[in-house]
Amino acid sequence: MKQNPLPELWKQDRTAYTCWLSIPGSWSAEVMAHAGFDAVVVDLQHGLAGNDAMLAMLQAIGTTAAAPIVRVPWNEPSAVMRALDAGAYGIICPMVNTRAQCEALVAACRFPPEGSRSFGPTRSLVSIGPDYLSRSRSFALAFAMIETAEALANLDAIAGVPGLDGLFIGPWDLSLALGIQRAGNLADPAMVEACDRILAAARKHGLVAGIYADSAAQGRPLAARGFRLVNVATDTMLLQRGAEAELAQARA
Ligand code: 3PY
Ligand code: MG
């Protein structure tokens, strides 16, 4: 019987490291998952995969111990339910700006009476197990992305939504929203302050704080600050950086 490894890691106050998949296809997903990340995120918002590729990528991640997570394209119940039905262990939802939007996200992740998820976990009943319904709570982690000024203004109300599992910072959108000179700059004092506020709100409400970084150098200090779901790699960037580095060395 499958278990979601993430809640156990967080009980031990350990950081789950993730990688982000923007390349559609099962092969690169399988390679990335085999690297040993705690969770692998299929990005349906800015990544290039659609629903068909998502299924194959979740199957590929399922050949490893990594928890498969999906970042849905938007806060749409159908997108959330589809990803959970296809075997995702959790949802990262972009642009959650109000308490009502966060309530809608959580409701889409939970079967009645807690929520309004429609029953039809076609693959989850196979890939997770026939008892999926009774264990679905730990396989439907709900993370609300905090990445706008509106979300920051509503931070406490969003974090207080019952059933939410975590807040997840999108530093690129958040830095644009805050008018920070260099987009994505996690070291900008205004970003440091915003991230600390989000971290504090997560702690206050017993939530996991997560954040997107695209390297270990960026991600390690974030884990030290208390983030417990930290992205440290993306497939596209690794491919690009690796290819450029090899070519540069060959031509040197
Ligand atoms: C952001 O930084 O805005 C993200 O959504 C990360 O992908
Ligand atoms: Mg974003």
Side-chain angles (χ1 to χ4, degrees):
M1 200 193 312
K2 287 274 172 70
Q3 300 291 338
N4 185 347
L6 298 179
E8 193 48 46
L9 268 182
W10 294 328
K11 250 185 246 159
Q12 297 168 18
D13 198 28
R14 287 166 58 199
T15 296
Y17 287 107
T18 72
C19 69
W20 214 254
L21 303 185
S22 52
I23 300 174
S26 59
W27 170 229
S28 48
E30 190 177 8
V31 171
M32 292 291 281
H34 274 272
F37 291 99
D38 301 296
V40 176
V41 181
V42 179
D43 180 15
L44 299 186
Q45 186 189 21
H46 297 301
L48 302 176
N51 276 327
D52 290 348
M54 170 186 73
L55 172 61
M57 292 162 85
L58 292 174
Q59 289 172 314
I61 298 163
T63 62
T64 73
I69 305 286
V70 170
R71 182 192 26 200
V72 290
W74 202 247
N75 192 0
E76 292 279 351
S78 61
V80 170
M81 295 181 202
R82 214 177 161 85
L84 294 175
D85 289 349
Y89 288 11
I91 299 294
I92 296 176
C93 179
M95 300 274 175
V96 177
N97 297 330
T98 65
R99 183 178 175 93
Q101 289 173 4
C102 191
E103 285 169 344
L105 163 66
V106 173
C109 291
R110 310 274 171 261
F111 291 115
E114 288 82 22
S116 54
R117 180 176 168 195
S118 171
F119 186 81
T122 308
R123 177 165 178 263
S124 303
L125 281 168
V126 175
S127 59
I128 295 170
D131 61 346
Y132 177 73
L133 181 57
S134 64
R135 300 195 304 128
S136 63
R137 176 65 187 84
S138 64
F139 288 97
L141 302 174
F143 275 80
M145 289 193 75
I146 304 296
E147 49 183 353
T148 65
E150 190 183 9
L152 266 189
N154 293 322
L155 188 55
D156 205 52
I158 293 170
V161 169
L164 183 69
D165 293 293
L167 304 175
F168 195 94
I169 300 175
W172 287 88
D173 278 313
L174 189 58
S175 59
L176 288 174
L178 297 178
I180 285 166
Q181 287 258 311
R182 186 158 70 75
N185 181 11
L186 283 159
D188 187 287
M191 274 296 276
V192 172
E193 203 234 306
C195 291
D196 281 344
R197 274 187 60 202
I198 296 165
L199 194 54
R203 284 213 175 104
K204 176 179 161 194
H205 292 276
L207 304 177
V208 174
I211 188 160
Y212 172 92
D214 58 33
S215 67
Q218 260 189 347
R220 271 180 67 93
L222 294 165
R225 266 161 77 186
F227 287 93
R228 290 292 170 261
L229 184 64
V230 178
N231 192 74
V232 290
T234 81
D235 52 6
T236 300
M237 283 183 197
L238 289 178
L239 192 60
Q240 206 169 21
R241 286 176 195 156
E244 285 171 2
E246 286 304 313
L247 183 60
Q249 208 180 328
R251 287 203 166 128

